[in-house]
Amino acid sequence: MISKNKIKEIRALERKKIRSAEGLFVAEGPKVVGDLMQKYLPQMFVHTPQWKAPSGMCDDIVVTEEELQRVSFLQHPQQVLAVFHIQKEGEEAYPTNELSLALDGIQDPGNLGTIIRIADWFGIRRVYCSEETADVYNPKVVQATMGSLARVQVCYTDLEQLVTSLPSDYPVYGTLLEGDDLYESDLTANGLIVMGNEGNGISAQLRRSIQRKLLIPCYQVADMRPDSLNVAVATAVAVAEFRRRGR
């Protein structure tokens, strides 16, 4: 059984202010919780009898499906909810001889979580986020990563300062409507790929620092063609092409 106070404490972690103050975040479902246990220290498990918590790790609260429904952030709870300690990353590592992503003002939690999952799939270890980007520990972001948060380092930083601090010959790419065709451009095995805000794209200040502008071409020839791709989809298309060329 779970107390009303405990439910209130967990539900409060939906707010960034509370997450930051408490140093805690919420994850749900056997897959997500299981993956995050590789990296994050659990404080609490709330679960139905169908899921068994590792013995002696932390608070272990067995509940009914109805009780889990009351504390869950999901429409359809998945056997277990865990509260984890936010892990402070070490000193910020700048891009090296590998492929990294930079996200400029991504607002939608689902998009951010999906991009982290895409990064994990394509072997990208670091994602740099502007301060305006959604909080990676938002429950919706955590859920959308499907556990990839355990394997991808997410850093919040001043992207313009990050880009200008890189060596002048370091490849910095950005997806822009005035860019060159992705499939006809020279692509490197390393570099930083900048993806912009869902509505406004890459900010004007950051755009000035991008040396290599790329366009994902639209093959719809009708007059009523779409304006753009969803940013998570565009990220997957771009990264897939970089990885295909890098083989």
Side-chain angles (χ1 to χ4, degrees), residues 89-95 126-129 131 153-159 161-163 165:
E89 301 289 354
E91 185 176 344
E92 184 179 304
Y94 285 91
R126 293 190 183 94
V127 176
Y128 300 91
C129 297
E131 298 295 343
Q153 181 183 10
V154 179
C155 307
Y156 284 80
T157 188
D158 183 322
L159 293 185
Q161 183 177 337
L162 171 67
V163 170
S165 69

Side-chain angles (χ1 to χ4, degrees), residues 112-150:
L112 177 56
T114 301
I115 290 171
I116 293 169
R117 189 177 178 186
I118 289 165
D120 187 23
W121 182 264
F122 286 102
I124 292 176
R125 298 189 302 146
R126 293 190 183 94
V127 176
Y128 300 91
C129 297
S130 69
E131 298 295 343
E132 296 75 30
T133 294
D135 179 27
V136 70
Y137 295 111
N138 179 310
K140 293 180 180 178
V141 176
V142 174
Q143 210 61 33
T145 71
M146 287 304 294
S148 290
L149 187 56

Side-chain angles (χ1 to χ4, degrees), residues 69-191:
Q69 179 78 54
R70 290 207 298 271
V71 72
S72 174
F73 294 102
L74 303 177
Q75 186 175 359
H76 302 291
Q78 301 175 27
Q79 297 182 357
V80 58
L81 176 151
V83 177
F84 289 99
H85 293 277
I86 293 174
Q87 177 176 303
K88 291 184 178 179
E89 301 289 354
E91 185 176 344
E92 184 179 304
Y94 285 91
T96 54
N97 284 331
E98 58 186 280
L99 200 61
S100 302
L101 285 171
L103 308 181
D104 185 23
I106 303 300
Q107 295 292 301
D108 183 83
N111 282 337
L112 177 56
T114 301
I115 290 171
I116 293 169
R117 189 177 178 186
I118 289 165
D120 187 23
W121 182 264
F122 286 102
I124 292 176
R125 298 189 302 146
R126 293 190 183 94
V127 176
Y128 300 91
C129 297
S130 69
E131 298 295 343
E132 296 75 30
T133 294
D135 179 27
V136 70
Y137 295 111
N138 179 310
K140 293 180 180 178
V141 176
V142 174
Q143 210 61 33
T145 71
M146 287 304 294
S148 290
L149 187 56
R151 294 175 291 275
V152 177
Q153 181 183 10
V154 179
C155 307
Y156 284 80
T157 188
D158 183 322
L159 293 185
E160 189 177 1
Q161 183 177 337
L162 171 67
V163 170
T164 55
S165 69
L166 295 171
S168 58
D169 60 347
Y170 192 87
V172 178
Y173 299 89
T175 52
L176 297 159
L177 291 176
E178 67 270 24
D180 298 321
D181 191 319
L182 169 70
Y183 301 110
E184 297 178 0
S185 299
D186 293 329
L187 305 179
T188 55
N190 69 317

